[in-house]
Each structure stands twice: as structure tokens, then as C-alpha cells.
Amino acid sequence: MVASPGAPRGQGTLLAFLGVLAFSGSFPATAYAMRGFDPWLVAIGRAVIAGVIALICLKAARLPLLPPRHQWRSYGAISLGVVFGFPVFSGLALDLGATTAHSAVVIGLLPAATAVCAVVRAGERPRPLFWLACAAGAIAITAFTLTRGQGTAAWPDVLLLGALVSAAVGYTEGARLSRETPGWQVISYALVLSLPLTVPVTAVLALTTPVHPSAQALAGFAYVGVISMFLGFVPWYAGLARGGIARAGQTQLTQPLLTLTWAWVLLGERYGPATVAAAVAVLVCVAVTQRTRT
């Protein structure tokens, strides 16, 4: 359903939170999937699973399988951001040793990064406190990564930064398009436009990389393909369009803490006070950016 000016903002916030709840399980599910599949196969293959679902949904709704040509550039940005960028960067970071908890803390800056992208894209002029809060959050994340990495930023942290930027670009462009097009169509078109690349790459990876399809690995792969890559975006984009990126985006403040919970419950990860403190510090900084964006 397309957002309308009179749509309740509370409904938008609720929809956005449902998206966040779905996304919060992505890191643990990716870790599960990589127990049986190559990280590249997980990152690209999840888009094929979601792309097939998108094709079925578009066909069932009797809609065109491709968006209008004048919007292809925008959909290309979404594809680069959330179909390729975030899955590849985050998957490789986990493969190189980043824990789910560590990754959740770093990605905790995503709402602020998304807000910055929205500022650039929409030409908004936030108050100075917005930029101070963004800088404080960046400093908190930098301090966290340096103390965990013996004074240097390791490759996993660089990759997580790439995932952060990629998701912010994809979220912003998707939210913009969702003001005129239902969120499920937005993510569907981005996935379908990517299929000519994701299908052959996935086929090659499936034939050339080790595959050990255990129950855990299959469950993780199914989650990131069906929920993280498709279903989660349906309420997420709709929520941002209805409630506004600044307001509805605040729901993403809960994502790092939710992911920390899943990491503890599902993966048995243990983390000390520094991880929790960093997560809370990022939450506070991002909360300030959302309150003072305009």
C-alpha cells in the first residue's frame, strides 16, 4: 500500500519495527549459513532466493516485472546497497573473524548513516547538534574497534564500514521510492533487476565452492534469503515512507541490542561490559541524531 499524507505515523513506526525485528536476526543467520556454505555463495545466493520470490509476487499481482526505465538508476543504487553491498561486506567480515556481537555494535551507527544519506539526497539542513551526535557516535565506534583490535582497525571493521555505507544508501533510496510505490514492489524490482548477475554468479559459486548443507546452514541460508532479503524490507520500506525516515527510523535503535540477544541465545556468544557500553553509547548518539535532524 502506498503511503498517503494522512497515513498514521504510529502505523509507520510499527511497520518499521517489524522490519528491524526481521533484520536483527541477519547476522546470526549468516553465521549459521556459513557453517555449510562459502560466504560469497551466501551473500549472492540469498539474492537469488529473494529474487525468485519477488518474481512470483510480481507475476501474481499482474504487475510489470521491471520498473519504469527512468527509475532504473535509483533501483540500481538500491541493488548495489542492499542486494550486493551489505550482504557481501557483512558476510566477509564475519568470515574473517568478526563476531556477531561486534558486528552489531559497529552497524549500530546505521540509523545515523541513513540520516546523513537522506540529508544529502533530500537537501535537508540539520541543526549542528545532529552533526555533533554523528561525530560522537563515530568516535565511540572507532574507540570500540581500536580497543578490540589492539590499537589498529582490522579488515573486518573496514568491511563492516562498507556494509554500513551500503545499507544506508539502499535504505535511503528505497524509502524515497516507497513514497510512491509499495515497499514490496520496491525491493522486488531491485532484486529482479539483479537476477541477470546473481543467478550465474550463484551457479558458478555453487559448483566451485565447498557445500555442506547441514540443517543449521540451510536454516540460516533460508532466513537471509527469505526474511532478511525480502520479507523484512516489505514493512521496513513501508514504515519509512509512512512515518518518515527520521521518525520511523528511530526503531532501528533497537537493532544492535536485539542482535546481541540473538547472538547470545542462538550462538552462545559471550561479550563483556565494553561491548554493551559501546552499544548503549551508539544508541544514545543515534537517538540524538534522529531527534535533531531538522
Side-chain angles (χ1 to χ4, degrees):
M1 186 175 180
V2 181
S4 62
R9 289 184 176 271
Q11 188 178 32
T13 300
L14 176 60
L15 287 170
F17 177 74
L18 292 176
V20 169
L21 188 61
F23 295 148
S24 69
S26 297
F27 279 135
T30 301
Y32 269 163
M34 291 194 306
R35 292 178 180 180
F37 301 96
D38 181 83
W40 285 97
L41 178 57
V42 174
I44 306 299
R46 63 195 277 182
V48 174
I49 297 173
V52 171
I53 297 173
L55 276 174
I56 294 173
C57 290
L58 289 170
K59 193 69 174 176
R62 297 182 180 181
L63 292 170
L65 298 183
L66 294 176
R69 291 188 66 89
H70 71 275
Q71 293 181 335
W72 280 25
R73 180 175 296 181
S74 293
Y75 280 104
I78 296 172
S79 296
L80 288 174
V82 299
V83 176
F84 293 103
F86 183 84
V88 169
F89 285 131
S90 60
L92 292 178
L94 291 171
D95 185 57
L96 290 178
T99 65
T100 299
H102 181 99
S103 302
V105 172
V106 176
I107 297 299
L109 272 179
L110 184 52
T114 302
V116 171
C117 287
V119 165
V120 174
R121 190 76 173 93
E124 297 177 5
R125 295 293 181 268
R127 287 179 280 175
L129 184 57
F130 169 88
W131 299 111
L132 288 174
C134 284
I139 291 171
I141 290 298
T142 301
F144 174 72
T145 55
L146 291 179
T147 55
R148 308 298 285 181
Q150 289 76 50
T152 59
W155 274 111
D157 294 314
V158 176
L159 292 168
L160 288 171
L161 178 61
L164 177 70
V165 174
S166 298
V169 171
Y171 286 176
T172 301
E173 201 64 24
R176 191 182 68 83
L177 291 178
S178 294
R179 293 170 181 167
E180 301 176 355
T181 305
W184 74 268
Q185 289 183 37
V186 171
I187 189 59
S188 292
Y189 284 139
L191 289 163
V192 170
L193 284 174
S194 304
L195 284 176
L197 180 58
T198 57
V199 169
V201 170
T202 298
V204 170
L205 289 170
L207 293 173
T208 58
T209 59
V211 174
H212 306 287
S214 65
Q216 278 189 348
L218 289 171
F221 211 157
Y223 187 98
V224 296
V226 177
I227 298 178
S228 300
M229 188 60 81
F230 185 76
L231 292 182
F233 279 100
V234 176
W236 175 244
Y237 278 153
L240 292 182
R242 286 170 181 248
I245 297 176
R247 182 183 178 91
Q250 291 183 54
T251 59
Q252 205 168 33
L253 297 174
T254 62
Q255 185 167 331
L257 297 179
L258 285 171
T259 301
L260 289 177
T261 301
W262 301 141
W264 173 60
V265 173
L266 298 176
L267 301 174
E269 288 191 9
R270 297 292 183 267
Y271 34 84
T275 300
V276 177
V280 173
V282 170
L283 189 154
V284 171
C285 292
V286 176
V288 173
T289 67
Q290 300 300 290
R291 294 288 184 181
T292 62
R293 234 186 102 199
T294 57

